[in-house]
Amino acid sequence: MTSDKSLETPATACDASYADKPPPPFGHQLLEYFSFDPGYVNLNNGSYGSMPIPVSEACKAIADEVEANPDKFIRLTYEAPWIRCRERIANLIGADVGECVLVPNATLGVNTVLRNIDWKEGDFIIKTTVTYPSVDKTARFIADTYPYITLETVNISLPCTLDKIFRTFEAGFRKIQSTPEYIALTEQGERPKIVVIVDALSSEPGLLMPWERVVEFCKSHENVWTVIDAAHAVGQIVGINLSKTQPDFFVSNCHKWLYAKRGCAVLYVPLRNQHLIKTTLPTSVYYISPKDYAKDPTLPKPPNFVGQFEWTGTHDPVPYLSIGPALDFREWLGGEVTINGYCRDLAIRGGKRLAEILKTEEMDKTPNRELTLNMVNVKLPLPETPKKAVKIAIDMFFKKKLLLEWNTFAPASYHHDGWWVRCSAQIWNDLSDFEYLGRAYKALSVQVVEHIIDEKGEFREGYTA
């Protein structure tokens, strides 16, 4: 491919005609910039994100350009705007562009890292009880594939504080170091790897994690690698500086909180670790075998990290190129501090109001709401339901009723001893949305107790899903 910028056309940039006027106040007045169904109360940005109409229009223009001449765009035009998008997202997270590549989603990014690691006997993986399910399953797959490694789970007991979460992780780490297997291998001069998977923000419940503190701790220990599942971080955490924090691996979705098109994520691998990423998933045409390099030393030196991710097979380039228009729209709104200041304030006020309506409690009880950014978690007025079949039935009941009858959604999930709803505050929301959701969940919780479960959390006699 070529990087000749003269080949770019206007369609590769955002048509920012909206920028000729000032943005409206945050809240319902911004709904006109999104394509939601009339009356839909969306408090679930955290799951899939939502594209603003100006970004969607820019994507359509790019897609039209691709279809007008696929060969020209893919073979000649694509590389330059792809590089620019990587430059802009790298700048946002405080990294060098040569350390950042684009992948479809955070799950694939984590898979790319874990499946490239050279696992050896005695190695460990640490995850937590709030690790995202697909990442949890990936870690389990690695442990199943390499039965000579150990998978450890750190129990994050909620509610809690950032310090308590860190101390719990530290205790789990020390436990590994004290195992006879770890001690024996270390004494033999074969210190095992410990690969630590940590969320920047957990998904459900939606809580900020002490990921930077964990990274700092791990850097003080030999042969310990950090994999930061930051799926919710970009567009929600202000001031990320990976050059300063220096995790070993970091991946964040851009289609959730940044307003890019699904699916799009940034994978950060610092230069010091790029030799560990031997192949993309799937393997790119630009993969260079060490045997090939031995035959032709003029080839790019392995690992050819950025080059491999440029083209991993035929895919839709539009989501990656939507990063630029998304960032343009966010700058028009006032930038990261302004956007997230509104969303966090609304999340805190909305969580308090929701708890009042449901007559329950918020998960984050810390004085300054240190675990809360733009997602808030509130308990539902339901008894404990320990059995999996009961949980599945209640979950499906909520999904169908909320989406088909109430025209709203925020996911409910079970943690420890109860049901919690996670609400995502966004620029199109205001406090009345939380009040509406509260009325919905209050009514539906009554129906669950009357028709699905008894006071012990068991299925009522005669109930059929």
Side-chain angles (χ1 to χ4, degrees), residues 5 8 11-14 55 58-59 62 73 77-103 234 252-254 258-261 263-267 306 309-310 315-328 331:
K5 293 189 177 182
E8 296 176 46
T12 60
C14 180
V55 179
C59 289
I62 298 170
F73 190 92
T77 308
Y78 172 62
E79 185 180 28
W82 176 72
I83 292 172
R84 281 209 314 281
C85 287
R86 288 175 43 241
E87 289 172 341
R88 294 189 68 178
I89 197 66
N91 182 64
L92 184 67
I93 61 177
D96 183 84
V97 65
E99 299 174 316
C100 296
V101 292
L102 302 177
V103 295
V234 169
S252 183
N253 288 319
C254 300
L258 199 70
Y259 307 150
K261 180 178 174 63
C264 174
V266 57
L267 170 62
V306 171
F309 283 88
E310 183 174 350
H315 65 269
D316 183 3
V318 176
Y320 296 167
L321 302 187
S322 72
I323 289 175
L327 288 172
D328 290 342
E331 290 172 3

Side-chain angles (χ1 to χ4, degrees), residues 204-219:
E204 290 187 41
L207 297 169
L208 180 66
M209 294 284 116
W211 66 281
E212 292 173 305
R213 191 173 174 186
V214 170
V215 170
E216 182 180 9
F217 173 83
C218 291
K219 285 194 297 186

Side-chain angles (χ1 to χ4, degrees), residues 279-291:
T279 178
T280 56
L281 296 180
T283 297
S284 168
V285 68
Y286 296 112
Y287 168 75
I288 299 174
S289 167
K291 295 179 180 179

Side-chain angles (χ1 to χ4, degrees), residues 14 71 112 147 185 221 274 311 336 373 380:
C14 180
D71 277 291
T112 300
L185 286 169
H221 293 79
Q274 290 183 5
W311 198 258
E336 301 304 308
L373 290 185
L380 295 178

Side-chain angles (χ1 to χ4, degrees), residues 118-318:
D118 184 16
W119 298 101
K120 298 185 181 300
E121 185 172 356
D123 289 345
F124 291 82
I125 299 177
I126 298 180
K127 63 178 185 64
T128 74
T129 49
V130 296
T131 296
Y132 187 65
S134 64
V135 173
D136 182 289
K137 295 294 187 181
T138 302
R140 292 176 187 273
F141 169 80
I142 296 296
D144 291 339
T145 304
Y146 305 97
Y148 45 77
I149 69 174
T150 302
L151 179 62
E152 292 284 348
T153 302
V154 175
N155 181 36
I156 305 298
S157 180
L158 302 170
C160 56
T161 64
L162 284 173
D163 185 68
K164 182 179 178 182
I165 293 172
F166 173 76
R167 295 301 176 192
T168 301
F169 162 80
E170 184 181 29
F173 185 89
R174 301 295 188 194
K175 178 183 176 183
I176 287 176
Q177 287 185 313
S178 65
T179 61
E181 297 83 2
Y182 185 90
I183 293 172
L185 286 169
T186 301
E187 289 176 347
Q188 296 170 20
E190 301 175 2
R191 187 182 297 275
K193 285 192 297 295
I194 302 179
V195 176
V196 179
I197 303 173
V198 178
D199 291 277
L201 292 107
S202 59
S203 178
E204 290 187 41
L207 297 169
L208 180 66
M209 294 284 116
W211 66 281
E212 292 173 305
R213 191 173 174 186
V214 170
V215 170
E216 182 180 9
F217 173 83
C218 291
K219 285 194 297 186
S220 66
H221 293 79
E222 184 181 347
N223 217 19
V224 179
W225 299 351
T226 48
V227 179
I228 309 302
D229 179 3
H232 288 268
V234 169
Q236 186 174 183
I237 297 179
V238 177
I240 297 173
N241 188 342
L242 298 185
S243 294
K244 178 182 178 181
T245 309
Q246 294 190 337
D248 290 299
F249 307 95
F250 175 102
V251 60
S252 183
N253 288 319
C254 300
H255 58 256
K256 285 184 181 289
W257 296 91
L258 199 70
Y259 307 150
K261 180 178 174 63
R262 302 176 208 95
C264 174
V266 57
L267 170 62
Y268 161 87
V269 180
L271 294 174
R272 68 179 185 276
N273 288 336
Q274 290 183 5
H275 67 284
L276 300 171
I277 306 300
K278 298 174 283 295
T279 178
T280 56
L281 296 180
T283 297
S284 168
V285 68
Y286 296 112
Y287 168 75
I288 299 174
S289 167
K291 295 179 180 179
D292 293 337
Y293 180 71
K295 297 175 183 177
D296 184 359
T298 65
L299 290 169
K301 291 184 178 180
N304 189 28
F305 174 70
V306 171
Q308 288 195 72
F309 283 88
E310 183 174 350
W311 198 258
T312 56
T314 301
H315 65 269
D316 183 3
V318 176

